[in-house]
Amino acid sequence: MKILIIEDEKELRETLVASLQKEQYVVEIAANYGDAIEKIGLYEYDCILLDITLPDGSGLNILSKLKVMDKSENVIIISAKNSLDDKLKGLDLGADDYLTKPFHIAELNARIKAVLRRKNLDGKNTIEIGNLIFDIDERTLFVNQQSVHLNRKEFDVLNYFLVNKNRLITKTALAEYVWGDQIDQADDFDFIYYQIKNLRKKLQESTADISIESVYGVGYKLVEK
Amino acid sequence: MKLLNRSLIYLSCAFFFIIGIWSVIFYYNLKDEIRDSIDDGLENNKLLLIHQSKIDSTLLKQSEFGGNNFEIHPVSKEKAVLIKEVYKDTLMYRLNEDDLEPVRILHSAFQHNKNFYRIKVISSLVEEDDLVEDSFWSVVTLFLILVGSIIIVNNVILRRVWTPFYVILDRLKTYRLDQDDNPIDITTKTTEFLELQKASNALIKHSKEAYSSQKQFTENASHELQTPLAIIINKLELLLESENLKEEDAQTIANVIKMVERLTQLNKSLLLLAKIENKQFPNQELVSINKLAKEIIDNFEDFADFKNIQILVEEDSNLNVTIDPSLALILISNLVKNAIFHNTNGGRITVKFEKDGFEICNSANNVPLVEENIFVRFHKNTSKSQGTGLGLAVCKAICDFYGLGISYKFKENNHCFTVDFKKIISLE
């Protein structure tokens, strides 16, 4: 999988590269408008992360060019502006998603996975790990061909873990994903432990090949046994 | 005091003094003039009498005034020489008035056929007190007429002349920097008012610039903070994934992440406040508050369950309002969140949908909140709270944006927040 990061801020770019390499992606970078235009003209990418505020040109122009080339559907816009206008413009130009800075690495992973899955969709939208079959469209989980009932929140939590396999998910990132970014009372995140406990129990009872590990009390990580 | 009345008072005082002084001077002039004229008459009478007495000597025997206005007495030469011609005011009994009345008298002497006579000629005098009284009332009448005409002139002319001033004043009184776009524009040819208009517009322009740059600053600053915050969070998250990290170092990193996340939330809330103030929510849609609130409550159910909080919903009516959907979501979810996180363990929340208001109450610890501080930015009731202290300030900003009322009440050991949606309620 080949991913292009178009981002002018060096530190953020390097962090994203480091994180995406952990997911075994081939990562290329463009630090400015000119580089970006050159790269998208020359190569094919499975996913493009596009910062729309570049010093030497608008990311929206790059998006228009991609649209002309019919390549805009695998673009995720990264913007410091949570502006509805920009969002609508971007999505109108065919971008797949719009992510506002600052974001969690887990969130970015989830969005990229969604883009890649849609791109390579061969009739089914499922994640298969070990003896698990997780169907995102049908919202079902099968372990050893046995259906495991998950409530709405448990399904969302597990979905987030599965697209972030082996990666740390902080409690805040999880809460924001499942309960929306309206969540901002950090002191009450203890209740997440409660949710995880229920999920772990269900996974254990169905002898799933995965487990959710605690990481330094700050977050969790899904690992394959 | 109104300008009209004030100028009236000043003018009246001025008239009072001017007319007062003028009337005294006029009175004395008039009196002098009358005396002069009477004295001339007396002199003339005297000459006529002396002339007549040469023809008709019976006149010389007229020693009493009687019906006539003169008397003549013979005197010795020595005495006659001493008599000087003199005019005097004196009192004399008048039959018709049955009283002593003032008269003008001329004392004089003359010689006739080597005899000397003394003559007194009188003429009735204008009654002084009558004159004073008459003059006084005329002056008072004049004064009243003047003041009356000033009132009329003030009311008709000055009011018309000052109209542009009151128009400018009215515009300034109701001017809202965040709402009015047009400068003050009045039709007048008066230089002073044109100057006033110019000065007011200059002031408005400066204030607008300061206002918008302040608003812009918050928004820009918040935007500029987003990228550094993203870098910090992402780098720390990556760092936490390192293989050989000591437990306590990981804890430290985790704590830093928590703080950065708080900073992020703070920044988001500030940005939201700035955006509301900058009117960046122009969407107007029909939103069912009942439906929205129930969705939010549903979403927060896990939190409520975790704290053993019971949520009761009383739907007395359907609240359909015209509002920006994202602002409606923020408003209601902030109130619901507040009710959950500031609740007691095992407490309860009551949500009521009334005719044109939404009320949410949560159990309290017998201590009411300080009403005037609740909606103040960064005000926190307890230092242990991890919130940004902006949640209710955001609610207030949203309500202000639509002109809605939001209020707090402490009833029966419950914190109750009410939003009055009357202004934007949809009747469809």
Side-chain angles (χ1 to χ4, degrees):
Chain A
M1 292 289 170
K2 213 163 139 191
I3 294 182
L4 175 66
I5 300 172
I6 305 170
E7 164 67 60
D8 60 304
E9 187 72 41
K10 182 168 163 278
E11 291 294 332
L12 186 60
R13 202 169 57 229
E14 283 174 358
T15 313
L16 293 178
V17 171
S19 170
L20 294 180
Q21 278 169 347
K22 284 193 174 187
E23 298 287 320
Q24 315 294 324
Y25 300 128
V26 176
V27 186
E28 287 199 18
I29 53 166
N32 54 51
Y33 183 82
D35 278 7
I37 293 293
E38 198 185 318
K39 290 215 160 137
I40 59 167
L42 289 174
Y43 310 105
E44 295 283 328
Y45 296 96
D46 297 296
C47 182
I48 297 171
L49 303 183
L50 173 63
D51 181 357
I52 52 169
T53 45
L54 296 170
D56 54 345
S58 165
L60 288 174
N61 281 345
I62 299 178
L63 199 54
S64 315
K65 292 215 157 65
L66 282 167
K67 188 173 168 103
V68 172
M69 292 184 268
D70 206 16
K71 288 178 184 173
S72 64
E73 76 279 4
N74 54 357
V75 173
I76 297 173
I77 295 172
I78 302 170
S79 170
K81 274 193 189 173
N82 184 12
S83 139
L84 193 64
D85 264 4
D86 281 356
K87 201 168 188 165
L88 291 178
K89 254 186 239 161
L91 298 180
D92 263 1
L93 286 169
D96 188 274
D97 216 338
Y98 188 100
L99 197 54
T100 311
K101 290 178 194 172
F103 45 80
H104 295 283
I105 284 178
E107 186 60 34
L108 180 66
N109 279 339
R111 306 279 183 116
I112 292 174
K113 290 267 167 63
V115 167
L116 298 179
R117 243 192 350 257
R118 269 194 286 277
K119 193 173 155 61
N120 303 320
L121 210 58
D122 44 358
K124 50 182 184 171
N125 195 4
T126 57
I127 299 171
E128 292 175 32
I129 296 175
N131 56 0
L132 273 86
I133 302 172
F134 188 78
D135 193 317
I136 294 164
D137 290 341
E138 300 291 322
R139 295 184 74 85
T140 53
L141 171 69
F142 285 89
V143 181
N144 287 325
Q145 281 87 45
Q146 294 287 309
S147 169
V148 177
H149 175 74
L150 297 177
N151 69 28
R152 187 158 54 91
K153 293 291 165 62
E154 285 165 352
F155 181 89
D156 289 339
V157 172
L158 186 58
N159 186 6
Y160 207 43
F161 275 114
L162 286 171
V163 295
N164 279 291
K165 199 178 91 177
N166 293 323
R167 300 298 299 269
L168 166 79
I169 297 179
T170 59
K171 284 179 187 170
T172 334
L174 188 63
E176 277 186 20
Y177 176 76
V178 181
W179 288 274
D181 61 359
Q182 290 304 308
I183 296 291
D184 59 3
Q185 320 283 53
D187 56 347
D188 276 67
F189 284 169
D190 292 343
F191 87 99
I192 287 175
Y193 170 73
Y194 186 69
Q195 294 280 333
I196 300 289
K197 207 172 81 182
N198 289 342
L199 187 57
R200 272 175 175 162
K201 209 166 119 195
K202 284 188 181 175
L203 291 173
Q204 227 162 22
E205 279 169 1
S206 61
T207 62
D209 286 345
I210 54 165
S211 68
I212 297 171
E213 289 177 358
S214 227
V215 184
Y216 308 119
V218 57
Y220 301 93
K221 184 160 86 171
L222 180 138
V223 290
E224 205 173 341
K225 281 182 191 162
Chain B
M1 186 183 276
K2 281 195 128 188
L3 183 78
L4 278 172
N5 299 338
R6 186 164 285 272
S7 68
L8 185 66
I9 285 177
Y10 285 140
L11 279 173
S12 306
C13 287
F15 280 139
F16 186 77
F17 280 108
I18 294 167
I19 292 174
I21 293 165
W22 172 83
S23 52
V24 169
I25 295 169
F26 178 75
Y27 174 74
Y28 281 105
N29 278 340
L30 189 66
K31 216 165 107 176
D32 271 4
E33 209 47 54
I34 293 168
R35 294 259 147 88
D36 262 10
S37 154
I38 290 173
D39 291 354
D40 286 351
L42 286 175
E43 167 98 35
N44 187 44
N45 259 3
K46 184 195 84 179
L47 293 176
L48 281 174
L49 282 170
I50 294 169
H51 186 71
Q52 196 66 32
S53 65
K54 286 176 186 164
I55 305 156
D56 179 5
S57 64
T58 56
L59 285 178
L60 298 171
K61 303 241 166 43
Q62 181 78 30
S63 59
E64 287 277 331
F65 285 112
N68 294 314
N69 57 353
F70 67 94
E71 59 178 27
I72 297 169
H73 299 275
V75 286
S76 61
K77 187 186 173 183
E78 292 74 25
K79 269 194 178 167
V81 173
L82 290 173
I83 290 170
K84 280 180 190 155
E85 194 142 282
V86 67
Y87 300 92
K88 262 193 205 161
D89 289 350
T90 185
L91 292 172
M92 189 171 278
Y93 179 78
R94 286 290 174 110
L95 198 63
N96 62 336
E97 304 266 340
D98 188 24
D99 199 6
L100 292 172
E101 288 293 316
V103 289
R104 191 76 173 163
I105 189 161
L106 167 64
H107 295 269
S108 191
F110 67 94
Q111 188 186 12
H112 179 63
N113 295 339
K114 296 185 179 164
N115 291 325
F116 292 88
Y117 298 91
R118 167 190 182 163
I119 182 167
K120 288 182 190 170
V121 188
I122 59 161
S123 169
S124 70
L125 199 54
V126 180
E127 289 171 46
E128 201 160 330
D129 51 348
D130 287 352
L131 183 67
V132 170
E133 201 184 321
D134 283 353
S135 317
F136 175 76
W137 286 116
S138 333
V139 167
V140 168
T141 312
L142 177 68
F143 179 73
L144 289 178
I145 289 171
L146 276 173
V147 170
S149 28
I150 294 166
I151 293 176
I152 293 166
V153 168
N154 261 355
N155 272 303
V156 177
I157 299 179
L158 283 189
R159 199 175 283 271
R160 181 174 296 174
V161 169
W162 281 91
T163 303
F165 175 80
Y166 289 113
V167 172
I168 295 178
L169 193 66
D170 272 352
R171 282 296 309 273
L172 284 178
K173 263 192 213 159
T174 55
Y175 210 92
R176 292 279 166 275
L177 286 176
D178 51 341
Q179 282 163 17
D180 293 87
D181 285 330
N182 302 328
I184 297 172
D185 188 18
I186 49 158
T187 42
T188 179
K189 283 175 182 155
T190 317
T191 321
E192 283 83 353
F193 295 142
L194 287 174
E195 289 277 320
L196 181 65
Q197 173 176 280
K198 221 168 110 188
S200 306
N201 281 335
L203 193 64
I204 287 170
K205 194 166 158 260
H206 281 305
S207 310
K208 271 194 170 193
E209 278 166 7
Y211 181 73
S212 80
S213 80
Q214 184 242 323
K215 285 194 304 181
Q216 270 307 315
F217 176 76
T218 320
E219 198 178 335
N220 291 347
S222 299
H223 274 144
E224 288 307 313
L225 283 173
Q226 305 277 57
T227 305
L229 283 171
I231 296 168
I232 298 171
I233 289 182
N234 295 354
K235 275 196 185 294
L236 289 174
E237 281 176 342
L238 274 184
L239 187 58
L240 263 184
E241 286 182 328
S242 313
E243 297 290 315
N244 35 22
L245 207 59
K246 271 193 250 161
E247 173 79 29
E248 63 239 48
D249 294 342
Q251 277 308 326
T252 308
I253 297 169
N255 287 336
V256 177
I257 288 184
K258 258 192 192 164
M259 284 301 116
V260 179
E261 262 150 13
R262 214 168 124 182
L263 201 58
T264 307
Q265 277 309 329
L266 196 63
N267 198 40
K268 273 190 194 166
S269 301
L270 281 178
L271 190 54
L272 181 65
L273 278 172
K275 278 183 162 180
I276 294 170
E277 280 167 8
N278 289 350
K279 302 204 180 342
Q280 292 178 17
F281 293 93
N283 293 340
Q284 301 285 326
E285 283 175 31
L286 195 64
V287 174
S288 162
I289 296 294
N290 300 50
K291 191 165 158 252
L292 179 69
K294 281 187 281 181
E295 275 169 17
I296 293 167
I297 290 167
D298 196 35
N299 190 37
F300 284 112
E301 218 181 348
D302 314 291
F303 292 83
D305 284 351
F306 183 70
K307 287 186 82 170
N308 296 313
I309 294 166
Q310 196 192 351
I311 302 181
L312 300 170
V313 179
E314 292 176 23
E315 280 186 275
D316 290 342
S317 65
N318 278 316
L319 277 173
N320 291 316
V321 299
T322 315
I323 194 171
D324 185 291
S326 56
L327 288 184
L329 172 74
I330 294 165
L331 174 64
I332 304 294
S333 74
N334 274 2
L335 289 174
V336 172
K337 239 171 13 187
N338 232 37
I340 293 174
F341 293 119
H342 298 291
N343 213 318
T344 53
N345 210 324
R348 68 159 59 182
I349 293 172
T350 320
V351 179
K352 275 187 202 161
F353 300 94
E354 282 150 3
K355 194 170 143 278
D356 36 36
F358 168 82
E359 188 186 62
I360 182 162
C361 296
N362 67 278
S363 310
N365 287 325
N366 292 313
V367 190
L369 304 172
V370 186
E371 245 182 287
E372 55 262 39
N373 290 337
I374 292 172
F375 300 109
V376 173
R377 290 177 191 189
F378 302 116
H379 176 80
K380 286 188 212 167
N381 222 32
T382 49
S383 55
K384 87 173 210 301
S385 165
Q386 294 283 299
T388 54
L390 285 174
L392 285 173
V394 168
C395 290
K396 180 90 170 76
I398 293 172
C399 287
D400 286 350
F401 182 61
Y402 289 104
L404 310 176
I406 181 166
S407 58
Y408 165 78
K409 273 207 183 78
F410 186 75
K411 25 183 195 191
E412 294 155 13
N413 196 24
N414 271 300
H415 297 304
C416 290
F417 288 90
T418 313
V419 179
D420 182 359
F421 283 108
K422 208 181 284 165
K423 274 207 171 152
I424 54 167
I425 209 138
S426 164
L427 300 169
E428 283 164 43

